[in-house]
Every structure is written in structure tokens, then in C-alpha cells.
Amino acid sequence: MSTSVFLAVLLAALLHAIWNSLVKGSADKHATMLAVALGHVPIAILSLPFAPSVDQAALPWIMGGVALHLGYQLFLIAGYRAGDLTLVYPIARGSAPVLVTAVSIAVLGISFSHLELVAVLFIVLGLVSLALVRRADGARNPRAVVMALCTGGFIAAYSLVDGIGARVAMSAFGFWGWAAIGNAIALAVWTAFVRPRALTVLRSERSVILSGLIGGTASFLAYGLVIWAFTQAPIALVTALRETSIVFALLIGVGVLKERLDLVKVISTLLTIAGAILLRVSKP
């Protein structure tokens, strides 16, 4: 993996952890998630004129990505209602690289070096080990784990669809610009029918609107960098490295949201960092 791709994905990981912490720390998580999705739209509209035009063959991939991102957002919201950022976020992110790597090998016929596979394994072990974490009251949190695992399935699916779609589109940022606008519309329509109260919160709470603008910008840039990286390196390796965002999520969760720090979280973080280092020194 080249240095430019490596650094771009690490920056994306930081931005991703930031907007997730905004959603987790909010009083109405659905309204904030919608605000983040709508926050994609201004920067998407501004960036599209500067991006290469998208090949029409990518339209089915854009539509598929929109549907999968919607599922991801709804399960992520449910997970954050049930558990801590430092529990839900790592399990959701950690399960995705396993699925993406398996599909890449079994379906797409992509081969990886032993070092790359070990790096992915380290990252996954570090993240999924957080399923052992207990709530502050000492009890397990199976609902949060299940929601996080479902979220991970959607992450794996949209990573593959978006990665392939961006290559078909021959324009990474053009592809993401249209997909981001489509996702904002899809989540807004779903909210209007299923959770209309979130629209009321969005209109009346300035703090939610501000979180949406900040989080939406961070989210758009983060995933734009990831989609670009998908066109430069194997999707499975980019997906695994992206999940080093757990390190940033841990720091935010403990330092800002005042969540509990324990030995499992520390070990998980160290394993994740080790995996990222192995990915960096693996073959280009």
C-alpha cells in the first residue's frame, strides 16, 4: 500500500470517528444522523462540477450503494441507542473487513500476501474483542453487539459495491457526490414516514443543524478519501486500514464522552495499531 493511500485512509479514519462521536453524543441520534446525511449535500453539490463526469454504467452501483448506506445508518442508530461508542463502533467496523476479505478472495478472485492477511487478522481481532466489554453496570450488552454486527454487514456490502462502482464510474468523487445526495434523500424520505418527530427536532434545534454541518462535511470528506483509495488499492485492505478509526473513537469515547476505559479496550487498540503497521510495510 502506497504512502499516499495509507495516509489518506488514516485521515478518513479520524474524520469518521469524529462524526460518529457527534451522533453517539447527541440526544436524538436519528435527527443527528439525518442532519449529517443532509450535511453531505452542500459539499457534494460544490464538488461535483470539479469531479470527472460519471459513466452511466455506474448508475446501478450508485443506487445499490444508496440502499446499503441507508441500512447501515438505521442499524448504527439502533446500536448507539443500545451501547457505548467504544463498544458498538469497533464491533461494527471490525466485522466488515472479515466479510470484505472473504468475498474478495472467494468471489472476486483477489489474492493477498501472508503479511496482508495477518494484518487484517490483527485489526479484526482487536476490534471484535470488544464484544467482551461489559456495560458500566457490569452486564453484557447483547443487543448492542447484534446491532453492531448487522451494521458491519452493511459496511462490508456498501464497501464492495462502492469500490466496484467507483471503478466503473471512473470518477471516485463524482460517484460519491451523487451517492451522497441520493442517500440524503433516501434517509429524509424514510424519516418523514417512519420517524417524523426527528424532522421536528432537526428544524427546531440549532445544535443538531450545526452537528450536521460539521459531521456531514467530515463524513463526506472521509468517505470520499476511502472511495478514492478503493480505486488505488485492494478494497479489503483499505477497509481493514480504515477501521483503525477505533483508535480515534476510543480516545473520543473516553476523553470526551466519559465512557469507561478497561484492559480489553487497551489491548484491542494495540492489536489494531499493530495491524495498521503491518499493512503499511506490506507489499505496495
Side-chain angles (χ1 to χ4, degrees):
M1 183 178 289
S2 69
T3 300
S4 59
V5 172
F6 182 82
L7 293 177
V9 176
L10 286 185
L11 175 59
L14 171 60
L15 293 172
H16 195 273
I18 290 172
W19 80 256
N20 270 258
S21 67
L22 289 174
V23 174
K24 170 57 187 174
S26 64
D28 190 316
K29 294 169 179 53
H30 190 102
T32 305
M33 179 67 82
L34 176 59
V36 169
L38 293 175
H40 289 165
V41 176
I43 189 169
I45 292 174
L46 289 174
S47 65
L48 278 173
F50 301 97
S53 59
V54 174
D55 193 295
Q56 291 185 352
L59 181 59
W61 298 97
I62 292 175
M63 295 174 65
V66 166
L68 291 169
H69 278 276
L70 177 61
Y72 153 74
Q73 289 163 332
L74 297 179
F75 275 95
L76 184 63
I77 292 167
Y80 283 155
R81 289 196 188 106
D84 285 349
L85 174 72
T86 47
L87 172 64
V88 174
Y89 188 91
I91 295 174
R93 309 309 309 186
S95 54
V98 178
L99 298 172
V100 174
T101 302
V103 172
S104 296
I105 294 172
V107 179
L108 303 181
I110 298 173
S111 60
F112 301 99
S113 70
H114 293 305
L115 187 59
E116 288 170 334
L117 291 174
V118 170
V120 172
L121 179 62
F122 267 50
I123 291 173
V124 169
L125 285 176
L127 303 185
V128 177
S129 65
L130 288 174
L132 301 173
V133 173
R134 296 176 182 270
R135 295 184 310 206
D137 61 6
R140 300 275 184 203
N141 197 345
R143 176 174 171 77
V145 171
V146 170
M147 292 298 102
L149 289 173
C150 291
T151 304
F154 278 102
I155 294 169
Y158 78 59
S159 295
L160 288 166
V161 167
D162 292 345
I164 296 171
R167 296 178 184 185
V168 172
M170 295 184 290
S171 173
F173 280 93
F175 178 92
W176 173 225
W178 288 113
I181 293 172
N183 175 243
I185 294 172
L187 184 57
V189 170
W190 191 94
T191 302
F193 282 100
V194 181
R195 294 186 65 88
R197 180 182 176 279
L199 293 176
T200 302
V201 173
L202 186 60
R203 289 193 297 266
S204 60
E205 298 288 341
R206 291 185 178 180
S207 61
V208 174
I209 297 173
L210 180 60
S211 293
L213 290 173
I214 296 173
T217 301
S219 176
F220 184 88
L221 293 175
Y223 199 59
L225 289 171
V226 168
I227 291 184
W228 171 78
F230 283 157
T231 67
Q232 306 296 312
I235 297 171
L237 299 186
V238 174
T239 302
L241 181 59
R242 180 192 181 197
E243 311 319 354
T244 56
S245 56
I246 171 53
V247 178
F248 303 115
L250 179 68
L251 294 174
I252 294 171
V254 174
V256 179
L257 302 180
K258 306 304 179 184
E259 296 177 356
R260 185 180 61 168
L261 178 65
D262 56 29
L263 183 60
V264 174
K265 292 178 180 179
V266 173
I267 293 174
S268 167
T269 301
L270 293 176
L271 285 170
T272 304
I273 293 172
I277 292 172
L278 289 177
L279 272 183
R280 179 62 191 94
V281 301
S282 63
K283 67 179 182 181

